[in-house]
Amino acid sequence: MATWSNLNFQDSASPLMEQLIFFHDHTLLILMMITILIGYLMYMLFFNYYTNRFLLSGQMIEIIWTIMPAIILLFIAFPSLRLLYLLDEVNNPSITLKTIGHQWYWSYEYSDFTSLEFDSYMTPTNQMNPSDFRLLDVDNRIILPMKSQIRIIVSATDVLHSWTIPTLGVKIDASPGRLNQTNFFIYRPGLFFGQCSEICGANHSFMPIVIESTPSKTFIQWIKNNIYIG
């Protein structure tokens, strides 16, 4: 998870987040090159005392500064479109997780298993353990297997919410009366924290999300132990 001194992205835990970070760095490099070039040209114009008194129009330079930005935009557009299609692709998921946003908590249902659903509330400060994270931990974590393609279906019962896990590169709106879906792939074990990213009322800041990624055997054992919850 991010710390107060970290200005970068959180460490990725999914291929999609890796691709998002690569695209960010790619675009930032192009912007830095443009900024350096424009800065150099402005510097030369400010401190150049010579003028071309025969220059009335320059068709060639106008063609160049029209075509060059179009080419630069293509270098940004093609990777962006590729990444958008990857983010929306849901192909043969191993597990489906159904998520419903409420004011102000999340409820989850494992649609592939019978009667496995629960609500997830933020852990109050007076009930926290010393190792818990304030305003981020919940009473019931989402348990998911690592190295499995996971589909998540998101909706809401009252107002607009947004289910977000930055480490996985997932941000999807929870809209009342609508089902939105996306997918992700977790390639390492750990705890991954997120929060509602859509202002949904007075307690918007107090409905965190916690995913606990475990090996498949541990996940199956958890399913066996909790199959009758709800």
Side-chain angles (χ1 to χ4, degrees):
M1 61 178 293
T3 59
W4 290 110
S5 60
N6 187 9
L7 300 178
N8 301 315
F9 290 107
Q10 298 181 26
D11 294 336
S12 66
S14 73
L16 290 178
M17 187 59 191
E18 281 189 352
Q19 293 297 317
L20 286 169
I21 294 175
F22 290 155
F23 177 70
H24 169 268
D25 295 342
H26 168 77
T27 308
L28 197 61
L29 179 62
I30 294 175
L31 292 177
M32 288 178 62
M33 292 170 59
I34 295 172
T35 304
I36 292 172
L37 176 62
I38 298 300
Y40 172 75
L41 293 175
M42 291 179 65
Y43 177 84
M44 294 302 295
L45 287 173
F46 283 145
F47 294 97
N48 183 16
Y49 296 102
Y50 300 99
T51 58
N52 188 345
R53 59 194 180 94
F54 300 105
L55 181 63
L56 297 178
S57 63
Q59 290 186 353
M60 180 57 65
I61 194 170
E62 289 184 3
I63 292 173
I64 291 173
W65 70 40
T66 301
I67 294 177
M68 284 300 295
I71 295 174
I72 292 172
L73 287 176
L74 290 178
F75 276 98
I76 298 176
F78 285 135
S80 175
L81 290 173
R82 171 182 171 272
L83 188 54
L84 283 173
Y85 277 105
L86 285 175
L87 290 171
D88 287 337
E89 183 69 24
V90 179
N91 187 20
N92 296 326
S94 302
I95 295 172
T96 298
L97 176 68
K98 193 179 294 182
T99 302
I100 300 176
H102 307 266
Q103 289 183 317
W104 288 270
Y105 65 96
W106 298 97
S107 60
Y108 300 98
E109 178 183 337
Y110 290 77
S111 303
D112 303 307
F113 308 98
T114 306
S115 301
L116 183 49
E117 57 184 66
F118 55 86
D119 298 330
S120 181
Y121 290 86
M122 185 188 73
T123 305
T125 306
N126 57 359
Q127 298 178 15
M128 292 175 59
N129 297 318
S131 59
D132 291 341
F133 293 98
R134 180 176 171 271
L135 301 182
L136 284 178
D137 257 308
V138 295
D139 53 359
N140 291 313
R141 295 171 176 170
I142 310 165
I143 311 296
L144 291 174
M146 57 183 286
K147 297 183 179 179
S148 298
Q149 195 70 29
I150 298 165
R151 175 177 63 176
I152 178 168
I153 299 174
V154 182
S155 185
T157 59
D158 34 48
V159 298
L160 189 65
H161 301 276
S162 184
W163 197 87
T164 308
I165 300 288
T167 311
L168 302 179
V170 176
K171 183 179 186 295
I172 180 168
D173 286 340
S175 307
R178 176 183 173 89
L179 290 178
N180 294 326
Q181 72 170 357
T182 188
N183 79 106
F184 54 88
F185 181 93
I186 308 173
Y187 58 59
R188 62 183 171 90
L191 286 178
F192 308 114
F193 296 90
Q195 293 174 301
C196 178
S197 298
E198 193 74 43
I199 298 177
C200 58
N203 291 335
H204 157 69
S205 302
F206 307 108
M207 46 184 306
I209 306 158
V210 182
I211 289 181
E212 184 175 344
S213 174
T214 64
S216 298
K217 290 183 178 179
T218 307
F219 172 75
I220 293 172
Q221 187 61 45
W222 178 80
I223 290 291
K224 291 179 179 178
N225 295 337
N226 296 274
I227 198 67
Y228 296 110
I229 287 183

